[in-house]
Amino acid sequence: MGIDIQKELFLLKDPKYAVFQARLTPGVSRDRIIGVRIPALRKLAKKYYKDPEHIQFLNQLPHPYYDEDLLHGLLISEERDYEICMQQMEAFLPYIDNWAVCDSISPKAFAKHKAELIVKIRAWIVSPHTYVCRFGIGMLMKHFLDEDFKPVYLELPAAVRSSEYYVNMMIAWFYATALAKQWDETIPYLETDRLDLWKHNKTIQKAIESYRITAEQKNYLRSLKRKV
């Protein structure tokens, strides 16, 4: 199964796209990138998920190719059984080594299991592993800023202390999204300097770029920008 998948990926390769991907993921060795576009990978994930033998591929860790990692994450995202999905997710998380694979994973099974999921998110966010932490913050942003929102959830990313760019960028993205969805509860984090300087200003930058933030709110956010 693994050999067949790898062959199919190479049949779908786009050399120009591989060069483009390499520029976006500087931490990934160029020779690991085949160059398969995401829409093609999504089609493959739906195709292979219907075949029980895809489990063999999920067990073949680590994968030699970045595109295989992307496909792996997309296959996990297709899994509808929460327990199976979480087992697969926990097995794969330690092998994620870049933001693109991390951010492409969005398990469908998570949506109906919020009580169990928030427990996992709390554990992921405190992980010293860059992309385990980033994934946890991303899942908090996706699943807990709308009808399942609680103000206490805003405390979780604020407590993270990391020097990793990809962790801190996700924290800024989280608060910018929180401002768009839960303004009243989130704005005090900027008014009282709860975030360090870089995350504070990056949050403001990303929020100002958002179409979901009003012009009045953007003007107020500009007034909160801190000087270096």
Side-chain angles (χ1 to χ4, degrees):
M1 183 70 173
I3 295 175
D4 291 339
I5 285 180
Q6 200 173 96
K7 284 183 177 179
E8 187 151 7
L9 289 173
F10 272 95
L11 288 173
L12 294 168
K13 71 178 180 179
D14 180 336
K16 290 183 178 179
Y17 185 68
V19 173
F20 173 70
Q21 282 295 96
R23 291 182 186 138
L24 292 179
T25 53
V28 179
S29 174
R30 173 63 185 85
D31 59 11
R32 289 193 64 228
I33 301 175
I34 299 170
V36 183
R37 293 179 179 273
I38 290 293
L41 288 170
R42 292 191 192 282
K43 287 182 180 179
L44 279 186
K46 292 183 181 298
K47 169 186 171 182
Y48 283 125
Y49 177 68
K50 297 174 183 177
D51 186 339
E53 291 189 11
H54 79 272
I55 298 299
Q56 294 178 26
F57 172 73
L58 297 184
N59 290 333
Q60 293 170 355
L61 288 168
H63 299 299
Y65 292 102
Y66 159 81
D67 310 69
E68 289 178 303
D69 286 341
L70 284 170
L71 179 60
H72 191 125
L74 294 172
L75 278 166
I76 292 174
S77 297
E78 290 294 316
E79 180 56 61
R80 302 303 179 98
D81 183 290
Y82 176 79
E83 294 299 331
I84 293 174
C85 178
M86 188 55 72
Q87 289 173 7
Q88 294 173 349
M89 196 69 247
E90 293 277 34
F92 186 48
L93 275 172
Y95 294 94
I96 298 175
D97 63 0
N98 63 86
W99 69 267
V101 171
C102 181
D103 294 2
S104 69
I105 306 170
S106 184
K108 295 175 180 177
F110 285 4
K112 295 183 179 180
H113 294 270
K114 300 293 181 66
E116 302 100 311
L117 179 59
I118 191 62
V119 175
K120 289 291 187 179
I121 285 174
R122 287 179 180 274
W124 292 334
I125 285 178
V126 299
S127 171
H129 186 295
T130 297
Y131 296 103
V132 175
C133 179
R134 181 179 171 102
F135 182 73
I137 298 167
M139 290 298 100
L140 186 70
M141 179 173 69
K142 178 176 178 61
H143 293 285
F144 293 94
L145 288 179
D146 295 297
E147 63 270 15
D148 294 291
F149 173 75
K150 294 180 181 178
V152 68
Y153 295 153
L154 296 173
E155 293 286 334
L156 302 180
V160 173
R161 298 290 179 268
S162 174
S163 60
E164 293 289 339
Y165 171 83
Y166 289 106
V167 169
N168 291 328
M169 181 59 82
M170 179 58 82
I171 292 172
W173 185 10
F174 171 86
Y175 284 107
T177 305
L179 285 168
K181 294 186 173 187
Q182 304 290 344
W183 173 271
D184 290 343
E185 290 80 4
T186 308
I187 194 63
Y189 282 77
L190 299 178
E191 293 172 328
T192 60
D193 297 342
R194 289 292 310 280
L195 307 177
D196 67 34
L197 178 65
W198 189 91
K199 285 180 280 192
H200 177 102
N201 286 341
K202 184 60 69 172
T203 295
I204 291 173
Q205 176 191 325
K206 294 181 76 65
I208 288 173
E209 292 170 354
S210 173
Y211 67 88
R212 294 179 293 184
I213 302 289
T214 69
E216 182 181 4
Q217 289 171 331
K218 289 178 182 181
N219 285 334
Y220 182 57
L221 287 171
R222 290 186 182 97
S223 75
L224 296 176
K225 189 172 182 179
R226 286 155 58 186
K227 293 183 180 180
V228 178

